[in-house]
Amino acid sequence: SAAPAERGPLAGRRVLVTAGPTHEPIDPVRYIANRSSGRQGFAIAEAAAAMGADVQLVAGPVHLPTPSGVTRIDVETAREMAMAVDAALPADIAIMVAAVADWRTAGAAEQKIKKTGGALPVLELAENPDILAELAKDPRRPALLVGFAAETENVLDHAQAKLARKGCDWIVANDVSGDVMGGSDNAVHIVTADGVESWSNLPKDQVARKLMEKIADAVVR
Ligand code: CTP
Ligand code: CA
């Protein structure tokens, strides 16, 4: 990783970002995944580094270059992401953008599952750790903890409920009923205890810069 920018509003601050999907293995050749490209999270990491922060980016499996000035830790599964987040602490600010798989298979098969000509295989699922909710309860909780919420309906209602349930400070809610996941633009609502701020549809790098400016305003006093 390159040295962080020496100047900027976030100079000296440690920022932790999670991004991308997770992959949960079914067997050695198959996995459960989602449509996250990692673009919004990578753009946020890049914007934070450009503002002088010391940025650690915990990335699920994505096809993106590492933003300049960012330390990247690659992971595959939700449990690996949880361990990488733990290892990256402490942080002043954490922004959890990853689309973490809610479930993994209860036990991945060690060999490729074969068609038997008989009964269909049944995937038994187990719940993954909630990395954001656990970080909110951790003694090393960052002073500003931001979650994302991808919703396909009732976006603000779900986001407000999520803010309370997760114990984070802000939720950045986006409507993913269109082609947001993997796309280049994002229309988000910033949900905080003070209310809701809705931004127009913007390229993901502009959403990232605006969000990091709002974060810098909140933490640099
Ligand atoms: N998150 C996490 N670990 C998980 C699931 C989610 O850290 N196992 C984080 C995401 O990175 C995001 C926030 O929690 O910042 C909200 O994720 P989301 O999937 O919208 O919330 P869930 O609580 O999983 O609720 P649901 O998927 O049922 O809407
Ligand atoms: Ca989820």
Side-chain angles (χ1 to χ4, degrees):
S1 70
E6 278 171 29
R7 295 175 168 282
L10 292 175
R13 309 282 175 149
R14 287 173 61 87
V15 174
L16 170 61
V17 180
T18 66
T22 63
H23 285 182
E24 308 296 330
I26 294 169
D27 70 15
V29 299
R30 305 183 177 100
Y31 56 82
I32 299 170
N34 62 64
R35 296 188 188 281
S36 170
S37 66
R39 288 167 78 167
Q40 186 63 81
F42 272 56
I44 287 167
E46 179 165 32
M51 291 168 75
D54 175 359
V55 182
Q56 301 198 71
L57 171 61
V58 178
V62 296
H63 302 281
L64 292 172
T66 305
S68 111
V70 167
T71 301
R72 173 175 179 173
I73 304 107
D74 283 316
V75 299
E76 190 164 321
T77 68
R79 287 189 292 178
E80 287 168 10
M81 187 171 276
M83 284 188 287
V85 163
D86 188 77
L89 295 174
D92 301 298
I93 299 158
I95 310 159
M96 315 300 272
V97 197
V100 183
D102 292 322
W103 306 282
R104 64 179 180 273
T105 56
E110 276 175 34
Q111 304 298 333
K112 183 183 166 191
I113 300 169
K114 301 298 290 177
K115 284 185 291 188
T116 58
L120 296 172
V122 174
L123 294 182
E124 195 188 331
L125 300 180
E127 194 161 326
N128 273 327
D130 190 321
I131 303 166
L132 172 59
E134 284 180 6
L135 187 54
K137 288 183 267 175
D138 194 290
R140 298 162 298 167
R141 183 195 193 280
L144 184 64
L145 181 55
V146 180
F148 266 64
E151 308 290 354
T152 58
E153 58 177 1
N154 304 328
V155 177
L156 289 181
D157 287 347
H158 283 312
Q160 258 139 2
K162 220 164 255 182
L163 181 69
R165 180 156 49 83
K166 298 273 189 176
C168 56
D169 300 304
W170 303 354
I171 285 277
V172 180
N174 55 351
D175 186 336
V176 294
S177 58
D179 62 353
V180 164
M181 276 193 136
S184 59
D185 293 1
N186 206 356
V188 303
H189 310 269
I190 315 295
V191 182
T192 73
D194 299 332
V196 180
E197 197 179 305
S198 296
W199 298 349
S200 59
N201 194 43
L202 293 168
K204 286 180 177 175
D205 58 339
Q206 282 185 43
V207 171
R209 281 198 293 271
K210 241 173 110 95
L211 180 64
M212 286 316 305
E213 277 162 22
K214 187 175 171 69
I215 287 173
D217 283 347
V219 300
V220 182
R221 297 227 155 94

